[in-house]
Amino acid sequence: MELWTKEHLFTLVPATIIMIAISFVLKLLIGKKDIRIRMIPFQVLAVILFLIEIGKQIVSFDGGYDLYSLPFHFCSLFIFMLPLMAFYRGKYEHQVRVVTASICASVFLLMMIYPALIYSADNIKQYFTHYHYFHTVTIHNIVIFEFFLIVALGLAPAGEKGEQKAIIAFMTVFGAVAGIMAQILKTNYANMYSCNIPPLESVRLFMQGILGYALTQIIYVIIVATLQILFTLMAYWFYRLLCRIINKKSAA
């Protein structure tokens, strides 16, 4: 179980440094501007993200549609949440931003800890020759960039009442939808059908032999959904701490 590969080291680290640098420059240029100005980078990235996803869906029809391309993955949430955050103005604007910031933070933490789980070394090697690999690598790096921008531009200052409830409700709905669709289509959306981590997959298969397929899958989906909620909440607190540190430095 390799957490990092040399391909991730030679691409993700430089890309992260560049994205942080760009975020810092934008903070200096527009960090104190009106929210409409600060939203422009997010709107541009949301459009790019959406176009890349459309390209994926078109390519997926080549030779017969691959059900794995349906947007029921955890990272498929960004196809909906990033445009929503970029363009939505209304009563739940703050909740949308905090939820988006939290799931972006989740991907950032996973990418820093276990990038090989998110996309493989082959995805990187064939980045320019295989559209699905290009899509996978690009989408996740856009999400990381969005996270840096959210923090740098102070887009969603966390700490208001009800934020954690909004995250729990959002992730519960996602877990239910992804879990049900994974079983119906027998496709591994959000790790809801089987586990990408070999030791844990062995445990699932072992339990299946004892409890039977149906009960094992129900328990498995509940566990995975619960872990995703807890990890997103942890990412929320990480984001909240980051905001607090940056605000103290800015005040000083």
Side-chain angles (χ1 to χ4, degrees):
M1 188 175 70
E2 192 173 15
L3 302 183
W4 281 75
T5 68
K6 63 180 181 180
E7 286 80 13
H8 289 91
L9 182 64
F10 294 147
T11 57
L12 181 56
V13 172
T16 300
I17 293 171
I18 292 170
M19 289 187 285
I20 291 174
I22 294 173
S23 300
F24 179 74
V25 171
L26 287 174
K27 177 180 174 64
L28 295 177
L29 293 175
I30 62 174
K32 295 183 180 180
K33 299 288 185 181
D34 183 78
I35 187 65
R36 290 173 296 178
I37 302 298
R38 284 182 285 152
M39 268 298 177
I40 292 175
F42 299 98
Q43 292 169 347
V44 171
L45 288 174
V47 171
I48 292 173
L49 187 78
F50 189 71
L51 291 175
I52 291 174
E53 179 63 23
I54 290 176
K56 172 191 170 184
Q57 296 303 323
I58 293 172
V59 171
S60 293
F61 278 101
D62 185 23
Y65 190 79
D66 183 358
L67 292 176
Y68 194 75
S69 296
L70 289 172
F72 297 115
H73 303 277
F74 180 84
C75 291
S76 297
L77 290 172
F78 300 104
I79 301 166
F80 309 104
M81 294 306 295
L82 293 184
L84 185 62
M85 181 192 73
F87 295 102
Y88 170 71
R89 300 292 178 271
K91 182 178 179 180
Y92 301 104
E93 184 176 346
H94 179 73
Q95 287 85 347
V96 167
R97 291 182 189 174
V98 170
V99 169
T100 305
S102 299
I103 58 178
C104 284
S106 299
V107 173
F108 168 71
L109 290 173
L110 279 173
M111 288 285 282
M112 295 300 104
I113 299 168
Y114 194 174
L117 179 67
I118 307 300
Y119 56 77
S120 68
D122 285 339
N123 291 157
I124 299 171
K125 291 176 184 177
Q126 300 182 52
Y127 180 79
F128 294 106
T129 59
H130 194 296
Y131 188 85
H132 283 290
Y133 293 167
F134 160 79
H135 172 276
T136 300
V137 175
T138 303
I139 289 294
H140 289 93
N141 279 272
I142 286 177
V143 170
I144 292 177
F145 190 29
E146 290 263 2
F147 176 63
F148 294 148
L149 288 174
I150 290 171
V151 173
L153 298 179
L155 192 65
E160 291 188 11
K161 185 179 179 180
E163 291 174 347
Q164 293 184 79
K165 289 181 180 179
I167 293 169
I168 292 171
F170 178 81
M171 290 303 299
T172 299
V173 172
F174 166 72
V177 173
I180 291 170
M181 294 308 298
Q183 311 314 310
I184 292 174
L185 299 178
K186 299 187 183 304
T187 306
N188 197 28
Y189 304 120
N191 261 337
M192 293 288 191
Y193 190 66
S194 59
C195 188
N196 288 341
I197 302 174
L200 297 182
E201 175 62 5
S202 297
V203 173
R204 186 188 71 85
L205 293 174
F206 175 76
M207 294 305 296
Q208 188 173 306
I210 298 174
L211 301 176
Y213 176 80
L215 182 57
T216 299
Q217 287 304 101
I218 291 171
I219 295 172
Y220 175 71
V221 167
I222 292 172
I223 291 173
V224 172
T226 301
L227 289 174
Q228 289 178 348
I229 292 170
L230 292 175
F231 188 78
T232 306
L233 286 173
M234 184 188 75
Y236 161 79
W237 281 100
F238 166 75
Y239 168 68
R240 187 167 171 174
L241 177 63
L242 201 57
C243 288
R244 186 175 299 175
I245 292 171
I246 291 173
N247 288 338
K248 283 185 178 179
K249 287 186 177 181
S250 297

